[in-house]
Amino acid sequence: MNSFSQKLIKWYQNNKRDLPWRKTNDAYLIWLSEIILQQTRVEQGLAYYLKFASAFPTVQHLAKAENEEVMKLWQGLGYYSRARNLHTTAKIIVSKYKGKFPGNHVDILSLKGIGDYTAAAIASFAYNQPYAVVDGNVYRVLARVYGIDTPIDSSQGKKEFGLLANELISEKHPAIHNQAIMEFGAIQCKPVSPNCEDCPLIAMCFAHQHKSVSSFPVKSKTTKVRNRYFNYIVLNQKRLVVINKRINKDIWTNLYDFPVIETEKEQTEDELFSSSEWKRFFGKNRFNVTSITKANKHILSHQHIYARFIEIECLSPIKKICPNSAILINQEEIQKYAVPRLVELYLINKEKQLST
Ligand code: SF4
């Protein structure tokens, strides 16, 4: 075993966190944990993993579930395409692989929602095959230790880091090697303030020796962020409220929210109420605006959503105002629907106001 791998594994044995998916070699549970942990902190992902593993202990349970149930359980975790792919892939594993998670790297990689990183994680953690994982933590550790300044978001960078990671992986202990390098990046060689003073790799670390730890890893692009302004129209009449299923190819596909008027820039209430979109939405129907929340900022990876909720009491029959595509439900039923986090927060606040 090379000394890089040896040192990492020794460090891991003394420092690893106690996490449930590390105590199993069930490929289904490992896959579940890996999908949940993509773009998610371990502290947040843990609660979701436990919920999913308890509701769907096997791939057959997940395949049989209703899509609404899967989405509801995923609510609040973000990147909802992960939940949709998880459900689709569970059905494929049951129909094509007779419910047994494939053990072949090529077959694993062919599954929807599984890319290089997740395929390597499943192949190594569940089947102990020598495929190196390369996630954000691994890029950082390798860039710093070996002083690689190729941008990690370039195709050349992906190739270079992938080759090095596969050269370094322990052939004898690939699973523990992969766990160790990711854990090392997560809690020792952190993005900010890494614990260099007490690091087993200090003698071989290029970045530390050159006092340039904060310069690694290198990225070429800065993420462009798009601002969006959502004016949610919460139509109420007696116990009824109108909700909307998001079916377009946009954020939060298949989740529920309220009818929305989206604007290019922030508008005052007067600008919104006199806009053609507002007039088209309400036509000649009668209504009262009963309250308006302030616009809260909701941050997604490439978008900042500024959302305000405009509560409307319908004076004309609610069905006449309700857009054709929308759904009319009893207010208390909304709890059954999977909604984006910002709608969930609005509902929680409303509940609080009503109970005080
Ligand atoms: S010495 Fe610092 S930068 Fe280098 S591997 Fe250790 S923690 Fe990371």
Side-chain angles (χ1 to χ4, degrees):
M1 214 194 306
N2 59 62
S3 83
F4 174 82
S5 187
Q6 242 168 2
K7 287 189 165 92
L8 273 182
I9 291 176
K10 192 164 174 221
W11 173 92
Y12 179 70
Q13 281 158 341
N14 293 326
N15 294 283
K16 67 178 171 188
R17 290 168 291 180
D18 182 22
L19 297 168
W21 48 83
R22 291 194 176 143
K23 295 177 186 150
T24 180
N25 55 7
D26 179 334
Y28 162 70
L29 292 174
I30 288 164
W31 167 58
L32 188 60
S33 70
E34 288 302 331
I35 301 295
I36 287 173
L37 290 173
Q38 284 168 12
Q39 323 274 349
T40 301
R41 286 173 298 109
V42 164
E43 300 74 34
Q44 190 193 13
L46 178 58
Y48 281 84
Y49 171 81
L50 295 174
K51 274 199 293 186
F52 266 81
S54 154
F56 313 119
T58 66
V59 71
Q60 284 84 357
H61 288 90
L62 179 57
K64 264 194 254 159
E66 291 294 325
N67 188 253
E68 304 283 315
E69 194 189 349
V70 177
M71 299 309 282
K72 183 67 192 170
L73 219 55
W74 196 270
Q75 180 175 295
L77 198 53
Y79 298 96
Y80 290 87
S81 58
R82 291 182 293 168
R84 289 190 293 275
N85 289 338
L86 199 66
H87 197 204
T88 306
T89 297
K91 290 180 193 166
I92 293 170
I93 292 171
V94 167
S95 60
K96 187 169 170 191
Y97 297 98
K98 301 191 171 68
K100 186 164 170 11
F101 208 101
N104 176 306
H105 184 255
V106 176
D107 290 338
I108 301 174
L109 201 50
S110 72
L111 296 168
K112 197 164 183 186
I114 297 189
D116 288 336
Y117 163 77
T118 311
I122 297 168
S124 63
F125 302 156
Y127 303 112
N128 213 27
Q129 293 171 10
Y131 290 94
V133 290
V134 190
D135 71 346
N137 289 320
V138 176
Y139 276 120
R140 186 169 56 258
V141 173
L142 295 182
R144 285 175 175 171
V145 173
Y146 292 94
I148 306 169
D149 58 7
T150 315
I152 59 171
D153 52 351
S154 63
S155 48
Q156 178 58 29
K158 287 191 172 85
K159 201 168 146 195
E160 222 174 285
F161 282 92
L163 282 172
L164 177 61
N166 277 296
E167 249 172 57
L168 292 167
I169 194 167
S170 159
E171 286 283 332
K172 248 182 153 181
H173 307 288
I176 195 166
H177 170 102
N178 276 342
Q179 294 281 17
I181 192 168
M182 288 200 296
E183 188 75 338
F184 185 82
I187 62 177
Q188 174 87 21
C189 191
K190 294 178 290 185
V192 180
S193 312
N195 184 10
C196 299
E197 297 323 309
D198 187 21
C199 174
L201 302 182
I202 194 166
M204 60 191 300
C205 178
F206 176 95
H208 186 262
Q209 282 159 19
H210 292 81
K211 297 193 176 15
S212 56
V213 169
S214 60
S215 308
F216 294 96
V218 173
K219 271 192 180 178
S220 59
K221 296 176 207 135
T222 48
T223 314
K224 261 201 187 151
V225 174
R226 175 183 168 206
N227 289 331
R228 300 177 73 178
Y229 301 89
F230 284 9
N231 300 282
Y232 276 121
I233 316 269
V234 187
L235 293 170
N236 295 287
Q237 193 160 57
K238 296 201 175 119
R239 307 287 314 149
L240 299 174
V241 66
V242 173
I243 59 167
N244 165 63
K245 185 168 185 178
R246 298 182 62 89
I247 49 172
N248 294 334
K249 278 204 170 152
D250 191 358
I251 49 173
W252 308 324
T253 307
N254 288 345
L255 262 64
Y256 294 82
D257 57 4
F258 300 105
V260 64
I261 295 178
E262 183 175 350
T263 54
E264 294 274 309
K265 56 185 179 57
E266 196 176 350
Q267 289 193 332
T268 63
E269 289 169 20
D270 286 346
E271 282 170 338
L272 178 68
F273 296 162
S274 57
S275 69
S276 53
E277 289 89 348
W278 181 269
K279 288 178 183 156
R280 204 174 315 126
F281 188 92
F282 286 100
K284 291 199 167 29
N285 293 298
R286 291 180 309 114
F287 59 91
N288 279 334
V289 175
T290 52
S291 72
I292 306 179
T293 66
K294 67 176 175 48
N296 281 323
K297 186 176 177 183
H298 184 77
I299 299 175
L300 302 174
S301 58
H302 297 86
Q303 300 186 22
H304 290 173
I305 312 285
Y306 296 85
R308 64 181 163 189
F309 294 81
I310 303 163
E311 295 195 358
I312 303 281
E313 181 197 7
C314 300
L315 301 176
S316 297
I318 194 167
K319 279 193 178 159
K320 280 180 78 183
I321 307 181
C322 177
N324 289 341
S325 56
I327 308 163
L328 190 57
I329 60 165
N330 278 319
Q331 283 162 358
E332 55 275 17
E333 279 181 313
I334 200 161
Q335 302 302 338
K336 289 196 288 194
Y337 293 85
V339 297
R341 179 72 181 147
L342 59 81
V343 175
E344 190 188 1
L345 289 175
Y346 159 73
L347 294 171
I348 291 171
N349 276 336
K350 202 176 156 194
E351 187 80 31
K352 269 191 205 152
Q353 281 167 10
L354 289 175
S355 62
T356 51

